[in-house]
Amino acid sequence: MAYKRQFYPGTTVPAVNRRRYLDPSQNLKKLREVAMDDVVRILGHRQPGEEYKSIHPPLEEANEPDCPIRQLVTPLEGAKKGDRVRYVQFTDSVYFAPISPYQRAWMYLSRYRGIDTGTLSGRQIIEMRERDLEVIAKEFIENETFDPALTGIRGATVHGHACRLDENGLMFDAWQRYEWDAKKGEVVYVKDQVALPLDKRISVGKPDSMENLKKRTTIFRADGVDMRDDKEVTMYGLRIHKLRTLAGFQPFAMKGE
Amino acid sequence: MQNTSNSARNYAGEPLPELKIFPNRLLKADTTEALLSGIYSIPQVRQINVHGETLPAKVKSGPHTGIPVNHPERRVIRYGDQEILLTMMVGAIFVELKDYDSVDEALEGIKKVCDELLPFGYTLDVGRYSKFRPSLNDHLKSRC
């Protein structure tokens, strides 16, 4: 029987969401529209319309050696053109953000190729060829893994993911890269991801209600869905813990498990 | 911690009762100003200290190190006859009272102020949360 890929156990809302985000056959819902030029402005790596800087000649001109791996792997557009590797970093609040950094890593690696990603407690960086990065950044600002109030685009000084929200319901940001537009009820970016003021205000839309966010999140919380309430998820965690404790990096060596 | 008094820390030398106000949200400067004004108008209050998330004046890391942040919540606030530069989004307020006998009366007054200004909820506890006499560190930093 052919192996059927599995993604995540469990029946509770966060478990089902995790499974859906990880499964590349599931399309993520697009919730908002942000212009590509505005995404480029927020990323801050180049000006909109500016040529991409390159770090090596296009592969077509590069006289690549005869290598089976090179023949096997189709390069990304950015790699073909010799783009620089640039980054985008998302910060996710612990207050029921649609996704959390660890699941971001799983999701990125499950859905995309040509990325390097790193997980920290509150943030998740993606490093990638510049033109491909811009496409992915736009996708992740527009889709359901992003909430304007609880997800931040922060290149540095990301502190705030575990802080209480402010009075407008926004995640704390010491550099105030985005602000609350009370008239429109929207979150507006006024600085790029490394705090350089933008020459225009970029709206990323209205935050979702806390009630809806609890249905969209992948975060288990005692005041939401407790992980211990999902028996399958708990058993999966315990099993990994047991195998790691007893067999280290050779879980297959355990007999009867 | 930010002492709302402009002078050096004002230790009582004895563990006077303290009230801890812990809002469910980080407070804006406007709310902090109104809250401190309300609390300061209560006669049993001896001193207020606030805790919160620091708002730096300048960017301290990344490619634009040194440029101003210009955070709108970092500004001078006024309460009573005092004014201070608020450098944080306030997340906890510690109110030291003048004596033990005034706890119930002060609690009632502070609860009334908080109910009015903190509609998103808060917790209010009585205890002792900070030091009440100078420590060695204060002597070394010439804060007393």
mmCIF file of all heavy atoms in Angstrom, chain A residues 87 156-157 159 163-170 172-176 179 191-192 194-197 210, chain B residues 22-28 31 53-56 59-61 63-64 67 69-72 89 91-92 120:
data_model
loop_
_atom_site.group_PDB
_atom_site.id
_atom_site.type_symbol
_atom_site.label_atom_id
_atom_site.label_comp_id
_atom_site.label_asym_id
_atom_site.label_seq_id
_atom_site.Cartn_x
_atom_site.Cartn_y
_atom_site.Cartn_z
ATOM 1 N N TYR A 87 14.845 38.730 3.159
ATOM 2 C CA TYR A 87 14.017 38.081 4.179
ATOM 3 C C TYR A 87 12.730 38.849 4.453
ATOM 4 O O TYR A 87 12.624 40.046 4.164
ATOM 5 C CB TYR A 87 14.800 37.973 5.496
ATOM 6 C CG TYR A 87 15.003 39.320 6.155
ATOM 7 C CD1 TYR A 87 14.111 39.780 7.117
ATOM 8 C CD2 TYR A 87 16.053 40.140 5.781
ATOM 9 C CE1 TYR A 87 14.278 41.028 7.692
ATOM 10 C CE2 TYR A 87 16.222 41.389 6.358
ATOM 11 C CZ TYR A 87 15.328 41.822 7.309
ATOM 12 O OH TYR A 87 15.480 43.062 7.866
ATOM 13 N N ALA A 156 13.234 43.447 12.779
ATOM 14 C CA ALA A 156 14.033 43.445 14.007
ATOM 15 C C ALA A 156 13.177 44.041 15.123
ATOM 16 O O ALA A 156 12.127 44.613 14.852
ATOM 17 C CB ALA A 156 15.303 44.275 13.808
ATOM 18 N N THR A 157 13.643 43.894 16.372
ATOM 19 C CA THR A 157 12.861 44.320 17.543
ATOM 20 C C THR A 157 11.420 43.837 17.417
ATOM 21 O O THR A 157 10.495 44.598 17.191
ATOM 22 C CB THR A 157 12.937 45.846 17.755
ATOM 23 O OG1 THR A 157 14.293 46.209 17.899
ATOM 24 C CG2 THR A 157 12.218 46.275 19.030
ATOM 25 N N HIS A 159 9.813 42.244 19.766
ATOM 26 C CA HIS A 159 9.199 42.109 21.088
ATOM 27 C C HIS A 159 7.735 42.537 21.071
ATOM 28 O O HIS A 159 7.415 43.583 20.538
ATOM 29 C CB HIS A 159 9.994 42.959 22.079
ATOM 30 C CG HIS A 159 9.375 42.989 23.443
ATOM 31 N ND1 HIS A 159 9.324 41.875 24.243
ATOM 32 C CD2 HIS A 159 8.774 43.982 24.126
ATOM 33 C CE1 HIS A 159 8.723 42.195 25.377
ATOM 34 N NE2 HIS A 159 8.381 43.459 25.333
ATOM 35 N N CYS A 163 3.115 40.032 24.905
ATOM 36 C CA CYS A 163 2.596 41.140 25.721
ATOM 37 C C CYS A 163 1.074 41.199 25.581
ATOM 38 O O CYS A 163 0.524 40.756 24.575
ATOM 39 C CB CYS A 163 3.158 42.468 25.235
ATOM 40 S SG CYS A 163 4.912 42.618 25.423
ATOM 41 N N ARG A 164 0.453 41.813 26.572
ATOM 42 C CA ARG A 164 -0.978 42.084 26.412
ATOM 43 C C ARG A 164 -1.187 42.989 25.205
ATOM 44 O O ARG A 164 -0.311 43.758 24.834
ATOM 45 C CB ARG A 164 -1.520 42.780 27.670
ATOM 46 C CG ARG A 164 -1.808 41.831 28.814
ATOM 47 C CD ARG A 164 -1.910 42.588 30.103
ATOM 48 N NE ARG A 164 -0.592 42.980 30.571
ATOM 49 C CZ ARG A 164 -0.370 43.890 31.525
ATOM 50 N NH1 ARG A 164 -1.380 44.522 32.075
ATOM 51 N NH2 ARG A 164 0.856 44.160 31.910
ATOM 52 N N LEU A 165 -2.368 42.898 24.620
ATOM 53 C CA LEU A 165 -2.681 43.764 23.475
ATOM 54 C C LEU A 165 -2.897 45.183 23.985
ATOM 55 O O LEU A 165 -3.140 45.402 25.172
ATOM 56 C CB LEU A 165 -3.944 43.260 22.781
ATOM 57 C CG LEU A 165 -3.912 41.785 22.342
ATOM 58 C CD1 LEU A 165 -5.232 41.393 21.723
ATOM 59 C CD2 LEU A 165 -2.756 41.535 21.373
ATOM 60 N N ASP A 166 -2.812 46.151 23.073
ATOM 61 C CA ASP A 166 -3.068 47.532 23.515
ATOM 62 C C ASP A 166 -4.579 47.792 23.515
ATOM 63 O O ASP A 166 -5.387 46.899 23.238
ATOM 64 C CB ASP A 166 -2.271 48.529 22.672
ATOM 65 C CG ASP A 166 -2.814 48.696 21.264
ATOM 66 O OD1 ASP A 166 -3.916 48.184 20.973
ATOM 67 O OD2 ASP A 166 -2.144 49.344 20.451
ATOM 68 N N GLU A 167 -4.963 49.022 23.814
ATOM 69 C CA GLU A 167 -6.389 49.317 23.974
ATOM 70 C C GLU A 167 -7.179 49.137 22.682
ATOM 71 O O GLU A 167 -8.392 48.945 22.705
ATOM 72 C CB GLU A 167 -6.567 50.737 24.505
ATOM 73 C CG GLU A 167 -6.147 50.866 25.952
ATOM 74 C CD GLU A 167 -6.425 52.248 26.500
ATOM 75 O OE1 GLU A 167 -7.554 52.753 26.367
ATOM 76 O OE2 GLU A 167 -5.495 52.853 27.066
ATOM 77 N N ASN A 168 -6.497 49.256 21.536
ATOM 78 C CA ASN A 168 -7.180 49.045 20.258
ATOM 79 C C ASN A 168 -7.164 47.582 19.828
ATOM 80 O O ASN A 168 -7.631 47.255 18.744
ATOM 81 C CB ASN A 168 -6.512 49.890 19.165
ATOM 82 C CG ASN A 168 -6.642 51.368 19.443
ATOM 83 O OD1 ASN A 168 -7.683 51.834 19.900
ATOM 84 N ND2 ASN A 168 -5.581 52.118 19.207
ATOM 85 N N GLY A 169 -6.572 46.731 20.657
ATOM 86 C CA GLY A 169 -6.516 45.303 20.323
ATOM 87 C C GLY A 169 -5.333 44.940 19.460
ATOM 88 O O GLY A 169 -5.264 43.848 18.898
ATOM 89 N N LEU A 170 -4.355 45.857 19.327
ATOM 90 C CA LEU A 170 -3.171 45.591 18.498
ATOM 91 C C LEU A 170 -2.035 45.030 19.346
ATOM 92 O O LEU A 170 -1.879 45.408 20.512
ATOM 93 C CB LEU A 170 -2.687 46.897 17.852
ATOM 94 C CG LEU A 170 -3.202 47.244 16.460
ATOM 95 C CD1 LEU A 170 -4.714 47.299 16.431
ATOM 96 C CD2 LEU A 170 -2.628 48.573 16.010
ATOM 97 N N PHE A 172 1.589 44.746 20.796
ATOM 98 C CA PHE A 172 2.554 45.803 21.135
ATOM 99 C C PHE A 172 3.719 45.820 20.151
ATOM 100 O O PHE A 172 4.257 44.776 19.800
ATOM 101 C CB PHE A 172 3.080 45.576 22.560
ATOM 102 C CG PHE A 172 4.181 46.520 22.951
ATOM 103 C CD1 PHE A 172 3.909 47.822 23.298
ATOM 104 C CD2 PHE A 172 5.515 46.103 22.928
ATOM 105 C CE1 PHE A 172 4.930 48.702 23.637
ATOM 106 C CE2 PHE A 172 6.538 46.968 23.269
ATOM 107 C CZ PHE A 172 6.240 48.270 23.633
ATOM 108 N N ASP A 173 4.094 47.022 19.724
ATOM 109 C CA ASP A 173 5.273 47.183 18.876
ATOM 110 C C ASP A 173 6.024 48.431 19.336
ATOM 111 O O ASP A 173 5.528 49.550 19.194
ATOM 112 C CB ASP A 173 4.870 47.320 17.405
ATOM 113 C CG ASP A 173 6.084 47.447 16.489
ATOM 114 O OD1 ASP A 173 7.213 47.256 16.972
ATOM 115 O OD2 ASP A 173 5.898 47.746 15.296
ATOM 116 N N ALA A 174 7.214 48.239 19.875
ATOM 117 C CA ALA A 174 7.987 49.359 20.411
ATOM 118 C C ALA A 174 8.367 50.362 19.314
ATOM 119 O O ALA A 174 8.601 51.527 19.600
ATOM 120 C CB ALA A 174 9.247 48.846 21.101
ATOM 121 N N TRP A 175 8.441 49.888 18.076
ATOM 122 C CA TRP A 175 8.820 50.782 16.972
ATOM 123 C C TRP A 175 7.615 51.356 16.239
ATOM 124 O O TRP A 175 7.773 52.087 15.279
ATOM 125 C CB TRP A 175 9.711 50.040 15.966
ATOM 126 C CG TRP A 175 11.104 49.809 16.445
ATOM 127 C CD1 TRP A 175 11.645 50.193 17.633
ATOM 128 C CD2 TRP A 175 12.142 49.131 15.741
ATOM 129 N NE1 TRP A 175 12.950 49.794 17.714
ATOM 130 C CE2 TRP A 175 13.284 49.141 16.565
ATOM 131 C CE3 TRP A 175 12.217 48.503 14.502
ATOM 132 C CZ2 TRP A 175 14.495 48.553 16.192
ATOM 133 C CZ3 TRP A 175 13.415 47.923 14.114
ATOM 134 C CH2 TRP A 175 14.544 47.945 14.954
ATOM 135 N N GLN A 176 6.438 50.962 16.641
ATOM 136 C CA GLN A 176 5.191 51.498 16.066
ATOM 137 C C GLN A 176 5.228 51.489 14.539
ATOM 138 O O GLN A 176 5.087 52.520 13.886
ATOM 139 C CB GLN A 176 4.968 52.921 16.618
ATOM 140 C CG GLN A 176 3.575 53.421 16.505
ATOM 141 C CD GLN A 176 3.477 54.603 15.555
ATOM 142 O OE1 GLN A 176 4.461 55.244 15.251
ATOM 143 N NE2 GLN A 176 2.289 54.884 15.100
ATOM 144 N N GLU A 179 -0.231 51.402 12.862
ATOM 145 C CA GLU A 179 -1.088 52.078 13.818
ATOM 146 C C GLU A 179 -2.549 51.836 13.485
ATOM 147 O O GLU A 179 -2.888 51.380 12.392
ATOM 148 C CB GLU A 179 -0.750 53.571 13.865
ATOM 149 C CG GLU A 179 -0.914 54.285 12.549
ATOM 150 C CD GLU A 179 -0.394 55.714 12.584
ATOM 151 O OE1 GLU A 179 0.538 55.998 13.363
ATOM 152 O OE2 GLU A 179 -0.938 56.536 11.820
ATOM 153 N N LYS A 191 5.559 52.335 8.692
ATOM 154 C CA LYS A 191 7.009 52.117 8.609
ATOM 155 C C LYS A 191 7.245 50.759 7.950
ATOM 156 O O LYS A 191 6.384 49.876 8.014
ATOM 157 C CB LYS A 191 7.633 52.119 10.000
ATOM 158 C CG LYS A 191 7.564 53.461 10.702
ATOM 159 C CD LYS A 191 8.133 53.382 12.098
ATOM 160 C CE LYS A 191 7.937 54.705 12.825
ATOM 161 N NZ LYS A 191 8.310 54.619 14.230
ATOM 162 N N ASP A 192 8.442 50.597 7.383
ATOM 163 C CA ASP A 192 8.752 49.285 6.818
ATOM 164 C C ASP A 192 9.144 48.333 7.952
ATOM 165 O O ASP A 192 9.100 48.711 9.127
ATOM 166 C CB ASP A 192 9.802 49.388 5.701
ATOM 167 C CG ASP A 192 11.207 49.697 6.230
ATOM 168 O OD1 ASP A 192 11.410 49.697 7.454
ATOM 169 O OD2 ASP A 192 12.104 49.932 5.409
ATOM 170 N N VAL A 194 11.802 47.345 9.139
ATOM 171 C CA VAL A 194 12.911 47.722 10.016
ATOM 172 C C VAL A 194 12.804 49.190 10.445
ATOM 173 O O VAL A 194 13.788 49.868 10.686
ATOM 174 C CB VAL A 194 14.285 47.422 9.382
ATOM 175 C CG1 VAL A 194 14.621 45.964 9.508
ATOM 176 C CG2 VAL A 194 14.343 47.860 7.932
ATOM 177 N N ALA A 195 11.572 49.702 10.501
ATOM 178 C CA ALA A 195 11.220 50.980 11.131
ATOM 179 C C ALA A 195 11.577 52.229 10.335
ATOM 180 O O ALA A 195 11.565 53.323 10.894
ATOM 181 C CB ALA A 195 11.821 51.078 12.536
ATOM 182 N N LEU A 196 11.865 52.108 9.064
ATOM 183 C CA LEU A 196 12.078 53.310 8.258
ATOM 184 C C LEU A 196 10.698 53.834 7.831
ATOM 185 O O LEU A 196 9.920 53.096 7.232
ATOM 186 C CB LEU A 196 12.921 52.979 7.018
ATOM 187 C CG LEU A 196 13.393 54.186 6.222
ATOM 188 C CD1 LEU A 196 14.424 54.985 7.013
ATOM 189 C CD2 LEU A 196 13.987 53.764 4.889
ATOM 190 N N PRO A 197 10.391 55.112 8.145
ATOM 191 C CA PRO A 197 9.058 55.625 7.789
ATOM 192 C C PRO A 197 8.779 55.495 6.288
ATOM 193 O O PRO A 197 9.655 55.757 5.457
ATOM 194 C CB PRO A 197 9.127 57.094 8.221
ATOM 195 C CG PRO A 197 10.156 57.121 9.285
ATOM 196 C CD PRO A 197 11.180 56.097 8.902
ATOM 197 N N MET A 210 -12.306 38.573 18.003
ATOM 198 C CA MET A 210 -11.675 37.532 18.818
ATOM 199 C C MET A 210 -12.441 36.212 18.709
ATOM 200 O O MET A 210 -11.853 35.130 18.717
ATOM 201 C CB MET A 210 -11.581 38.015 20.264
ATOM 202 C CG MET A 210 -10.617 37.251 21.130
ATOM 203 S SD MET A 210 -8.983 36.953 20.411
ATOM 204 C CE MET A 210 -8.109 38.454 20.794
ATOM 205 N N PHE B 22 -3.825 45.849 37.569
ATOM 206 C CA PHE B 22 -3.273 45.115 36.420
ATOM 207 C C PHE B 22 -4.322 45.095 35.298
ATOM 208 O O PHE B 22 -5.198 44.237 35.270
ATOM 209 C CB PHE B 22 -2.907 43.697 36.868
ATOM 210 C CG PHE B 22 -1.950 43.015 35.937
ATOM 211 C CD1 PHE B 22 -0.593 43.268 36.007
ATOM 212 C CD2 PHE B 22 -2.417 42.121 34.969
ATOM 213 C CE1 PHE B 22 0.292 42.634 35.145
ATOM 214 C CE2 PHE B 22 -1.534 41.492 34.111
ATOM 215 C CZ PHE B 22 -0.177 41.752 34.196
ATOM 216 N N PRO B 23 -4.256 46.069 34.392
ATOM 217 C CA PRO B 23 -5.272 46.134 33.324
ATOM 218 C C PRO B 23 -5.130 44.966 32.344
ATOM 219 O O PRO B 23 -4.029 44.439 32.174
ATOM 220 C CB PRO B 23 -4.968 47.460 32.600
ATOM 221 C CG PRO B 23 -3.973 48.173 33.453
ATOM 222 C CD PRO B 23 -3.275 47.146 34.270
ATOM 223 N N ASN B 24 -6.222 44.609 31.692
ATOM 224 C CA ASN B 24 -6.164 43.523 30.705
ATOM 225 C C ASN B 24 -5.540 43.964 29.391
ATOM 226 O O ASN B 24 -5.282 43.146 28.519
ATOM 227 C CB ASN B 24 -7.575 42.978 30.428
ATOM 228 C CG ASN B 24 -8.101 42.198 31.608
ATOM 229 O OD1 ASN B 24 -7.378 41.928 32.561
ATOM 230 N ND2 ASN B 24 -9.373 41.855 31.576
ATOM 231 N N ARG B 25 -5.350 45.267 29.222
ATOM 232 C CA ARG B 25 -4.718 45.795 28.016
ATOM 233 C C ARG B 25 -3.593 46.744 28.422
ATOM 234 O O ARG B 25 -3.618 47.308 29.521
ATOM 235 C CB ARG B 25 -5.733 46.584 27.167
ATOM 236 C CG ARG B 25 -6.863 45.732 26.589
ATOM 237 C CD ARG B 25 -6.377 44.950 25.403
ATOM 238 N NE ARG B 25 -7.328 43.983 24.896
ATOM 239 C CZ ARG B 25 -8.137 44.187 23.859
ATOM 240 N NH1 ARG B 25 -8.131 45.346 23.249
ATOM 241 N NH2 ARG B 25 -8.938 43.236 23.431
ATOM 242 N N LEU B 26 -2.619 46.930 27.524
ATOM 243 C CA LEU B 26 -1.590 47.950 27.750
ATOM 244 C C LEU B 26 -2.236 49.313 27.514
ATOM 245 O O LEU B 26 -2.985 49.497 26.549
ATOM 246 C CB LEU B 26 -0.416 47.742 26.789
ATOM 247 C CG LEU B 26 0.363 46.439 26.970
ATOM 248 C CD1 LEU B 26 1.429 46.294 25.886
ATOM 249 C CD2 LEU B 26 1.018 46.374 28.344
ATOM 250 N N LEU B 27 -1.927 50.269 28.390
ATOM 251 C CA LEU B 27 -2.670 51.526 28.363
ATOM 252 C C LEU B 27 -2.030 52.573 27.466
ATOM 253 O O LEU B 27 -0.806 52.704 27.405
ATOM 254 C CB LEU B 27 -2.767 52.090 29.789
ATOM 255 C CG LEU B 27 -3.397 51.168 30.830
ATOM 256 C CD1 LEU B 27 -3.494 51.897 32.169
ATOM 257 C CD2 LEU B 27 -4.765 50.691 30.382
ATOM 258 N N LYS B 28 -2.878 53.343 26.824
ATOM 259 C CA LYS B 28 -2.408 54.480 26.035
ATOM 260 C C LYS B 28 -2.025 55.601 26.997
ATOM 261 O O LYS B 28 -2.449 55.609 28.167
ATOM 262 C CB LYS B 28 -3.529 54.962 25.115
ATOM 263 C CG LYS B 28 -3.846 53.993 24.012
ATOM 264 C CD LYS B 28 -4.646 54.650 22.919
ATOM 265 C CE LYS B 28 -6.109 54.625 23.218
ATOM 266 N NZ LYS B 28 -6.963 54.985 22.086
ATOM 267 N N THR B 31 -5.084 57.370 28.575
ATOM 268 C CA THR B 31 -5.717 56.611 29.662
ATOM 269 C C THR B 31 -4.841 56.648 30.903
ATOM 270 O O THR B 31 -5.347 56.804 32.029
ATOM 271 C CB THR B 31 -5.940 55.144 29.224
ATOM 272 O OG1 THR B 31 -6.532 55.144 27.937
ATOM 273 C CG2 THR B 31 -6.817 54.405 30.192
ATOM 274 N N GLU B 53 5.708 48.295 29.101
ATOM 275 C CA GLU B 53 6.595 47.957 27.992
ATOM 276 C C GLU B 53 7.297 49.223 27.512
ATOM 277 O O GLU B 53 6.641 50.196 27.140
ATOM 278 C CB GLU B 53 5.795 47.333 26.840
ATOM 279 C CG GLU B 53 5.104 46.035 27.211
ATOM 280 C CD GLU B 53 6.077 44.952 27.627
ATOM 281 O OE1 GLU B 53 7.225 44.972 27.148
ATOM 282 O OE2 GLU B 53 5.702 44.100 28.442
ATOM 283 N N THR B 54 8.611 49.184 27.503
ATOM 284 C CA THR B 54 9.396 50.385 27.175
ATOM 285 C C THR B 54 9.197 50.824 25.726
ATOM 286 O O THR B 54 9.162 50.002 24.817
ATOM 287 C CB THR B 54 10.890 50.092 27.416
ATOM 288 O OG1 THR B 54 11.027 49.637 28.751
ATOM 289 C CG2 THR B 54 11.732 51.338 27.226
ATOM 290 N N LEU B 55 9.081 52.121 25.556
ATOM 291 C CA LEU B 55 9.007 52.718 24.218
ATOM 292 C C LEU B 55 10.304 53.488 23.989
ATOM 293 O O LEU B 55 10.485 54.584 24.540
ATOM 294 C CB LEU B 55 7.814 53.671 24.120
ATOM 295 C CG LEU B 55 6.445 53.051 24.369
ATOM 296 C CD1 LEU B 55 5.365 54.119 24.420
ATOM 297 C CD2 LEU B 55 6.121 52.024 23.290
ATOM 298 N N PRO B 56 11.223 52.944 23.206
ATOM 299 C CA PRO B 56 12.511 53.630 23.025
ATOM 300 C C PRO B 56 12.344 54.911 22.211
ATOM 301 O O PRO B 56 11.462 55.002 21.352
ATOM 302 C CB PRO B 56 13.346 52.608 22.255
ATOM 303 C CG PRO B 56 12.361 51.735 21.576
ATOM 304 C CD PRO B 56 11.135 51.703 22.423
ATOM 305 N N VAL B 59 15.596 54.051 17.386
ATOM 306 C CA VAL B 59 15.760 52.667 16.941
ATOM 307 C C VAL B 59 17.143 52.185 17.390
ATOM 308 O O VAL B 59 18.141 52.866 17.130
ATOM 309 C CB VAL B 59 15.618 52.591 15.406
ATOM 310 C CG1 VAL B 59 16.019 51.228 14.881
ATOM 311 C CG2 VAL B 59 14.188 52.929 14.994
ATOM 312 N N LYS B 60 17.175 51.031 18.083
ATOM 313 C CA LYS B 60 18.442 50.600 18.677
ATOM 314 C C LYS B 60 19.101 49.434 17.958
ATOM 315 O O LYS B 60 20.141 48.951 18.369
ATOM 316 C CB LYS B 60 18.217 50.234 20.141
ATOM 317 C CG LYS B 60 17.946 51.450 20.994
ATOM 318 C CD LYS B 60 17.710 51.074 22.432
ATOM 319 C CE LYS B 60 17.405 52.314 23.250
ATOM 320 N NZ LYS B 60 16.921 51.990 24.582
ATOM 321 N N SER B 61 18.460 48.911 16.914
ATOM 322 C CA SER B 61 19.090 47.817 16.172
ATOM 323 C C SER B 61 18.596 47.845 14.738
ATOM 324 O O SER B 61 17.678 48.588 14.400
ATOM 325 C CB SER B 61 18.756 46.474 16.823
ATOM 326 O OG SER B 61 17.368 46.253 16.781
ATOM 327 N N PRO B 63 19.191 48.049 10.383
ATOM 328 C CA PRO B 63 19.922 48.934 9.466
ATOM 329 C C PRO B 63 19.679 50.420 9.712
ATOM 330 O O PRO B 63 20.445 51.248 9.227
ATOM 331 C CB PRO B 63 19.391 48.518 8.088
ATOM 332 C CG PRO B 63 18.091 47.854 8.347
ATOM 333 C CD PRO B 63 18.181 47.236 9.693
ATOM 334 N N HIS B 64 18.623 50.764 10.425
ATOM 335 C CA HIS B 64 18.330 52.188 10.643
ATOM 336 C C HIS B 64 18.560 52.603 12.092
ATOM 337 O O HIS B 64 17.845 53.459 12.625
ATOM 338 C CB HIS B 64 16.903 52.494 10.207
ATOM 339 C CG HIS B 64 16.628 52.090 8.794
ATOM 340 N ND1 HIS B 64 17.359 52.559 7.735
ATOM 341 C CD2 HIS B 64 15.745 51.204 8.273
ATOM 342 C CE1 HIS B 64 16.930 52.005 6.615
ATOM 343 N NE2 HIS B 64 15.962 51.169 6.916
ATOM 344 N N ILE B 67 17.694 56.277 14.162
ATOM 345 C CA ILE B 67 16.619 57.176 13.723
ATOM 346 C C ILE B 67 15.538 57.231 14.811
ATOM 347 O O ILE B 67 15.366 56.291 15.577
ATOM 348 C CB ILE B 67 16.000 56.756 12.362
ATOM 349 C CG1 ILE B 67 15.274 55.408 12.461
ATOM 350 C CG2 ILE B 67 17.049 56.732 11.260
ATOM 351 C CD1 ILE B 67 14.432 55.078 11.232
ATOM 352 N N VAL B 69 12.037 57.012 16.791
ATOM 353 C CA VAL B 69 10.861 56.143 16.661
ATOM 354 C C VAL B 69 9.585 56.980 16.549
ATOM 355 O O VAL B 69 8.663 56.647 15.815
ATOM 356 C CB VAL B 69 10.763 55.180 17.878
ATOM 357 C CG1 VAL B 69 9.470 54.394 17.829
ATOM 358 C CG2 VAL B 69 11.947 54.228 17.897
ATOM 359 N N ASN B 70 9.525 58.079 17.299
ATOM 360 C CA ASN B 70 8.340 58.952 17.312
ATOM 361 C C ASN B 70 7.060 58.195 17.651
ATOM 362 O O ASN B 70 6.049 58.317 16.962
ATOM 363 C CB ASN B 70 8.162 59.660 15.963
ATOM 364 C CG ASN B 70 9.277 60.646 15.702
ATOM 365 O OD1 ASN B 70 9.819 61.245 16.641
ATOM 366 N ND2 ASN B 70 9.653 60.826 14.450
ATOM 367 N N HIS B 71 7.130 57.393 18.682
ATOM 368 C CA HIS B 71 5.928 56.663 19.099
ATOM 369 C C HIS B 71 4.941 57.645 19.738
ATOM 370 O O HIS B 71 5.308 58.394 20.642
ATOM 371 C CB HIS B 71 6.320 55.578 20.101
ATOM 372 C CG HIS B 71 5.302 54.481 20.202
ATOM 373 N ND1 HIS B 71 4.027 54.692 20.667
ATOM 374 C CD2 HIS B 71 5.355 53.170 19.872
ATOM 375 C CE1 HIS B 71 3.356 53.550 20.637
ATOM 376 N NE2 HIS B 71 4.142 52.613 20.147
ATOM 377 N N PRO B 72 3.687 57.671 19.265
ATOM 378 C CA PRO B 72 2.739 58.669 19.786
ATOM 379 C C PRO B 72 2.405 58.499 21.270
ATOM 380 O O PRO B 72 1.947 59.443 21.916
ATOM 381 C CB PRO B 72 1.488 58.471 18.920
ATOM 382 C CG PRO B 72 1.630 57.120 18.327
ATOM 383 C CD PRO B 72 3.089 56.838 18.205
ATOM 384 N N MET B 89 4.354 51.922 27.554
ATOM 385 C CA MET B 89 2.918 51.647 27.564
ATOM 386 C C MET B 89 2.652 50.932 28.873
ATOM 387 O O MET B 89 3.154 49.823 29.102
ATOM 388 C CB MET B 89 2.509 50.790 26.371
ATOM 389 C CG MET B 89 2.507 51.570 25.090
ATOM 390 S SD MET B 89 1.743 50.687 23.740
ATOM 391 C CE MET B 89 0.021 51.068 24.012
ATOM 392 N N GLY B 91 1.450 48.823 31.913
ATOM 393 C CA GLY B 91 0.776 47.535 32.049
ATOM 394 C C GLY B 91 0.434 47.199 33.484
ATOM 395 O O GLY B 91 -0.340 46.274 33.738
ATOM 396 N N ALA B 92 1.022 47.921 34.445
ATOM 397 C CA ALA B 92 0.706 47.672 35.862
ATOM 398 C C ALA B 92 0.961 48.948 36.649
ATOM 399 O O ALA B 92 1.913 49.674 36.371
ATOM 400 C CB ALA B 92 1.560 46.533 36.410
ATOM 401 N N PHE B 120 -12.099 47.484 29.530
ATOM 402 C CA PHE B 120 -11.679 46.175 29.030
ATOM 403 C C PHE B 120 -11.306 45.227 30.156
ATOM 404 O O PHE B 120 -10.913 44.093 29.909
ATOM 405 C CB PHE B 120 -10.489 46.346 28.079
ATOM 406 C CG PHE B 120 -9.575 47.471 28.473
ATOM 407 C CD1 PHE B 120 -8.649 47.290 29.467
ATOM 408 C CD2 PHE B 120 -9.697 48.719 27.870
ATOM 409 C CE1 PHE B 120 -7.825 48.332 29.861
ATOM 410 C CE2 PHE B 120 -8.870 49.769 28.262
ATOM 411 C CZ PHE B 120 -7.935 49.585 29.259
#
